[in-house]
Amino acid sequence: MAPEPTAAGPGPAGPAADAPGPTGPTGGAKAGHVHRATAWPEARAAARRAGAGARVGRKPSGLPLGEALGRVLAGPLTALADLPSFDTSAMDGWAVAGPGPWHVREGTAVLAGHVPAAALAAGEAVRIATGAPVPPGTTAVLRAEHSRTERSRTEGPEHPCTDEPPHDGRLLLRALREVVAGQDIRPRGQECRSGDELLPAGTTVTPAVLGLAAAAGYDELPVLPRPRVEVLVLGDELLTAGLPREGLIRDALGPMLGPWLAALGADVLDTRRIGDDAEALYAAVTGSAADLVVTTGGTAAGPVDHVHRVLDEAGAVLLVDGVKVRPGHPMLLARLGADPARPQHVRHLVGLPGNPLAAVSGLLTLAAPLLEALTKPEPATKPEHPAEPEPFTAPEHPAEPEPSAEPRTPAEGGAGTDPRTPVPYRVPVRDEVHGHPHDTRLVPVVRRSGSAVPLRYNGPAMLRGIAAADGLAVVPPGGARPGQELDVLDLPWPPTAGAVPAQGACFT
């Protein structure tokens, strides 16, 4: 594995300035500044706080049901009507009144979608279809397969309810098993009453949610706006087509990041290739209408790494400037200056390293938690001053990485609670995993027989491992022994479910 740079940025001139810039104090990128990386759990927490602060004031919109799939409910889904809205038959058969046998009301049937039939008298039955409103007076529905009919005779015992002997030629219904009052009738309001909360705010709209909303009377749903994201791909060495040649390499991040961010719930406005042009980068960052700008490369200390300088000139506030994680150490998070046309619009930038797997690490460490917090509904009472992470400042004695404070969410088969957002769960690792002496490592793994199997191709410039992976194991400083339980970050798509072998040259 190629070593990553130990500096998080291009050496600015001292700690963050105390004087406020356009949006507050500037954790700038001036020459001579020594960066102090943030522990991995703290970096994720800072990203969440940034997203939560930017969420305040975002107004929901109403979308037709056909357009709401995958969105997030802005408020609770409450029933607009009783479900069912009238007593209905749960089965095809007979609506009956009182004890049997019953005289059949011939020449008619009660069908779904039609007005209810006339009331049944005691001892009377009428054919009924599933979903049809039961006639007044109905005491039970008798399933067709649990009944038989016959023509009545003039002789015989009197009917227990009518005290009248059967009339010759009338159709008589008999039950083949005991009939219990109320059987196979779905009473009005059985599922919910009008005004009941069916689902809480923050629920992702799935096909089942759309069906429930339609049944409950909705034509459109109030949903939160998707975070708008713009991707800026930096680097003069990148090709968009053809084979690598003469020092040029294919751009792997441009095709990957847009779909990945969309899988996390973002509305990706554009993926633009900027090259190593500082002026073009400044114009793109300051002119973007996105809620989140994602850059690739340019966050370290190379001669054409312009991100820190551009952020300083743009009046941005560094919230995270380097993270104690491998790969991806020189990632960063900044709050951008306010848009004069929309002063309440809070924008952020996530700077990803240029190496592909390092960029994935930055995506899951900073972008995913920020987007998750940005798409959650606002609290019932808005805070007077929305929470924002403090600007990055270099501590005198940087703390060692702490064990992950992520919520432990065990899930059968390793699935997280939200299909879009990487949610850690605990799973034992099958093999020994080498660790960094001081930093967290994120290692691609597959799930096999209840264990996580580390993948071999996990260098910062490699995508072969993550392309076959089910998730990323969070390896603490020093590594992990076989059988040790680790947090695993899910990926925002279904696991491979055995499609990739757990043995072979690709794996350790």
Side-chain angles (χ1 to χ4, degrees), residues 220-387:
E220 62 177 34
L221 288 175
V223 296
L224 292 171
R226 278 188 173 136
R228 296 173 301 170
V229 178
E230 186 170 21
V231 180
L232 305 178
V233 179
L234 313 183
D236 289 340
E237 74 278 16
L238 301 178
L239 295 169
T240 59
L243 296 175
R245 64 181 186 274
E246 300 171 352
L248 301 178
I249 60 174
R250 282 295 299 269
D251 170 26
L253 296 181
M256 179 178 73
L257 290 179
W260 199 314
L261 289 160
L264 292 172
D267 178 11
V268 181
L269 302 179
D270 196 8
T271 297
R272 300 166 57 190
R273 289 167 175 83
I274 302 296
D276 291 321
D277 186 329
E279 291 185 4
L281 177 59
Y282 176 86
V285 168
T286 57
S288 177
D291 303 301
L292 174 65
V293 176
V294 176
T295 62
T296 68
T299 57
V304 290
D305 288 340
H306 302 305
V307 172
H308 281 85
R309 180 164 65 85
V310 164
L311 291 175
D312 186 61
E313 292 176 357
V317 179
L318 282 172
L319 305 177
V320 174
D321 193 10
V323 177
K324 289 187 175 183
V325 66
R326 305 299 170 120
H329 177 79
M331 66 182 75
L332 62 84
L333 170 64
R335 187 171 67 245
L336 298 175
D339 181 354
R342 292 184 296 166
Q344 301 303 315
H345 182 210
V346 180
R347 302 182 303 134
H348 291 89
L349 181 142
V350 168
L352 303 178
N355 278 324
L357 188 57
V360 170
S361 173
L363 194 67
L364 299 188
T365 299
L366 298 177
L370 186 148
L371 290 172
E372 179 192 15
L374 194 57
T375 55
K376 283 184 177 178
E378 295 182 15
T381 304
K382 294 182 184 179
E384 211 172 298
H385 301 288

Side-chain angles (χ1 to χ4, degrees), residues 16-17 35 57 64 80 148 160 170 198 201 221 233 236 247 283 298 310 345 371-372 392 413 428 443 451 481 483:
H35 290 203
L80 302 180
R148 65 181 177 86
R170 294 186 64 183
L198 305 177
L221 288 175
V233 179
D236 289 340
V310 164
H345 182 210
L371 290 172
E372 179 192 15
F392 168 82
V443 177
S451 296
R481 63 186 182 278

Side-chain angles (χ1 to χ4, degrees), residues 158-252:
E158 294 179 343
H159 192 282
C161 290
T162 63
D163 295 328
E164 294 178 1
H167 296 288
D168 188 26
R170 294 186 64 183
L171 193 62
L172 196 65
L173 174 70
R174 295 186 183 275
L176 301 181
R177 59 180 62 184
E178 181 184 6
V179 176
V180 178
Q183 73 177 30
D184 289 327
I185 294 175
R186 296 182 182 130
R188 175 174 181 167
Q190 181 185 52
E191 185 171 1
C192 65
R193 289 291 184 182
S194 179
D196 285 353
E197 181 176 319
L198 305 177
L199 293 170
T203 300
T204 300
V205 179
T206 64
V209 171
L210 291 174
L212 176 62
Y218 284 85
D219 298 319
E220 62 177 34
L221 288 175
V223 296
L224 292 171
R226 278 188 173 136
R228 296 173 301 170
V229 178
E230 186 170 21
V231 180
L232 305 178
V233 179
L234 313 183
D236 289 340
E237 74 278 16
L238 301 178
L239 295 169
T240 59
L243 296 175
R245 64 181 186 274
E246 300 171 352
L248 301 178
I249 60 174
R250 282 295 299 269
D251 170 26

